[in-house]
C-alpha cells in the first residue's frame, strides 16, 4: 500500500517513518508537516493509506479529511483520545493514541490491509511481512556537564522532566541531569518497556512495585498518573 504521513510534529513523523520501513507491504511516498500542503497531492496521486494527525495548526486532520475528494484509508495518529468517535464516524480504519508502540501500529496496518484487499476484491488476505529490524542498542549516551554518559536502558527507574532538562534516575540510587526533550526520550523508549504516565514522567514498567488509582510506586517514589496518559498506560500493562 502506498502511504503518506501528515503530522506537524517532526519526532512523530520520524517514528512513523521508522515503523513503516519495517513493514514490507507499505511504501512511503511522502510526508507533510501540515494538512493544507497535502490536499493537492492526495487529490491527484494514487495514495492508499494516510497516517493522519488531528491537532494541527490552522487546519486539522478532521478538516483535511472533509476537504479531500479522493478518500484513501486513514489511520489517525494523535495525542488526544477525545476525537475517537468522530474519527470512526468519518470512516477511519483505526485511531492510534501517542505514544504509539510498534505492535499497536502493526495491528492497525493489518486492519487497513484487510480493508484495502476487500475494497479491491483481492482474494488473498496475507498478513503484512515484517522486515527483520537491525539489532538496536540497549543503551544510550547523554550529555551531562562536560562528558557523554552511557546509560543502560535496563538501569533506568524513571525519568523526570524539568522544563528544559530531564533527570534520569537509575538503580544505583543516582540520577543524571541532561538537556534533552522528554518527547524524544518517549519515542526512543516506548518500545523498550517504558511508558509515559504524566507530562513530567516516563517510567520503566518492570520496576513498578504497585499501582494505585492515580499513582505508581517505583523504589520509594510515588509518581502521579495523569488522566491524559492513564488509558494508554493501562492498555500497555493490560489493566
Amino acid at each position: 500500500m502506498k502511504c503518506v504521513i501528515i503530522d506537524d510534529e517532526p519526532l512523530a513523523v520520524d517514528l512513523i517513518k521508522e515503523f513503516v520501513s519495517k513493514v514490507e507491504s507499505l511504501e512511503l511516498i511522502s510526508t507533510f508537516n501540515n494538512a493544507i500542503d497535502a490536499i493537492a497531492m492526495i487529490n491527484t496521486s494514487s495514495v492508499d493509506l494516510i497516517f493522519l494527525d488531528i491537532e494541527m495548526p490552522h487546519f486539522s486532520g478532521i478538516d483535511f479529511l472533509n476537504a479531500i475528494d479522493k478518500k484513501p484509508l486513514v489511520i489517525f495518529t494523535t495525542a488526544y483520545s477525545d476525537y475517537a468517535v468522530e474519527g470512526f464516524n468519518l470512516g477511519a480504519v483505526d485511531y492510534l493514541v501517542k505514544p504509539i508502540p510498534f505492535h499497536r501500529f502493526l495491528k492497525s496496518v493489518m486492519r487497513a490491509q484487510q480493508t484495502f484487499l476487500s475494497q479491491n476484491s483481492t482474494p488473498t488476505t496475507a498478513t503484512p511481512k515484517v522486515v527483520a529490524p537491525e539489532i538496536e542498542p540497549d543503551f544510550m549516551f547523554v550529555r551531562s556537564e562536560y562528558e557523554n554518559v552511557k546509560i543502560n536502558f535496563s538501569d533506568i527507574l524513571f525519568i523526570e522532566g524539568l522544563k528544559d532538562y530531564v533527570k534520569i534516575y537509575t538503580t544505583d540510587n543516582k540520577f543524571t541531569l541532561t538537556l534533552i526533550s522528554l518527547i524524544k526520550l518517549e519515542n526512543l523508549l516506548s518500545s523498550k518497556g517504558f511508558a509515559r504516565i504524566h507530562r513530567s514522567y516516563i517510567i520503566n514498567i518492570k520496576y513498578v512495585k504497585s499501582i494505585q488509582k492515580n499513582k505508581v510506586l517505583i523504589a520509594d517514589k510515588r509518581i502521579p498518573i495523569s488522566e491524559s496518559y492513564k488509558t494508554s498506560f493501562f492498555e500497555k500493562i493490560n489493566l
Side-chain angles (χ1 to χ4, degrees):
M1 289 185 293
K2 295 180 179 179
C3 64
V4 168
I5 300 169
I6 305 174
D7 198 310
D8 65 319
E9 298 179 13
L11 290 174
V13 172
D14 289 344
L15 180 66
I16 298 172
K17 283 173 64 177
E18 178 186 344
F19 285 174
V20 168
S21 71
K22 295 179 181 180
V23 182
E24 195 174 76
S25 61
L26 294 179
E27 176 189 355
L28 180 63
I29 60 175
S30 191
T31 65
F32 296 90
N33 60 15
N34 69 84
I36 295 175
D37 289 347
I39 292 177
M41 187 266 191
I42 297 298
N43 282 335
T44 58
S45 302
S46 176
V47 177
D48 303 313
L49 175 64
I50 304 174
F51 296 97
L52 179 63
D53 190 15
I54 292 181
E55 285 283 350
M56 291 182 284
H58 310 302
F59 202 72
S60 72
I62 300 292
D63 294 332
F64 166 81
L65 203 53
N66 286 322
I68 58 177
D69 299 322
K70 296 168 61 177
K71 288 185 169 53
L73 300 175
V74 172
I75 296 175
F76 281 120
T77 58
T78 177
Y80 305 93
S81 59
D82 303 353
Y83 300 96
V85 173
E86 186 174 1
F88 283 117
N89 286 341
L90 288 169
V93 173
D94 207 347
Y95 190 99
L96 299 178
V97 178
K98 300 172 184 176
I100 304 168
F102 178 67
H103 75 273
R104 185 67 181 83
F105 173 88
L106 184 60
K107 183 177 180 180
S108 290
V109 171
M110 292 173 64
R111 184 178 298 174
Q113 186 179 42
Q114 290 172 353
T115 303
F116 176 75
L117 294 174
S118 175
Q119 290 177 350
N120 290 275
S121 301
T122 305
T124 179
T125 56
T127 299
K129 297 179 181 179
V130 179
V131 179
E134 298 179 0
I135 297 175
E136 297 181 354
D138 57 359
F139 60 88
M140 63 180 175
F141 282 93
V142 298
R143 187 74 175 172
S144 182
E145 295 184 349
Y146 301 103
E147 61 182 350
N148 292 307
V149 179
K150 180 181 179 182
I151 299 179
N152 295 317
F153 298 145
S154 61
D155 293 335
I156 300 173
L157 295 172
F158 62 91
I159 302 168
E160 180 181 10
L162 301 169
K163 198 174 181 180
D164 296 328
Y165 290 82
V166 299
K167 280 184 176 180
I168 302 174
Y169 292 83
T170 47
T171 53
D172 56 2
N173 294 319
K174 298 179 181 179
F175 68 82
T176 301
L177 185 67
T178 183
L179 178 61
I180 191 173
S181 71
L182 207 59
I183 191 169
K184 184 174 182 178
L185 288 175
E186 179 185 353
N187 289 333
L188 173 65
L189 297 172
S190 62
S191 62
K192 305 179 188 301
F194 289 76
R196 181 90 174 259
I197 64 169
H198 189 275
R199 67 179 183 178
S200 300
Y201 289 99
I202 297 172
I203 65 167
N204 190 337
I205 295 173
K206 76 175 183 178
Y207 289 117
V208 174
K209 292 182 178 180
S210 64
I211 302 173
Q212 298 176 342
K213 183 177 180 182
N214 295 307
K215 292 180 182 178
V216 299
L217 178 64
I218 296 180
D220 295 322
K221 174 78 171 181
R222 295 192 182 275
I223 303 171
I225 308 171
S226 69
E227 289 297 324
S228 57
Y229 290 98
K230 182 180 292 185
T231 299
S232 61
F233 172 55
F234 284 172
E235 284 180 353
K236 196 162 191 174
I237 61 174
N238 298 317
L239 281 183

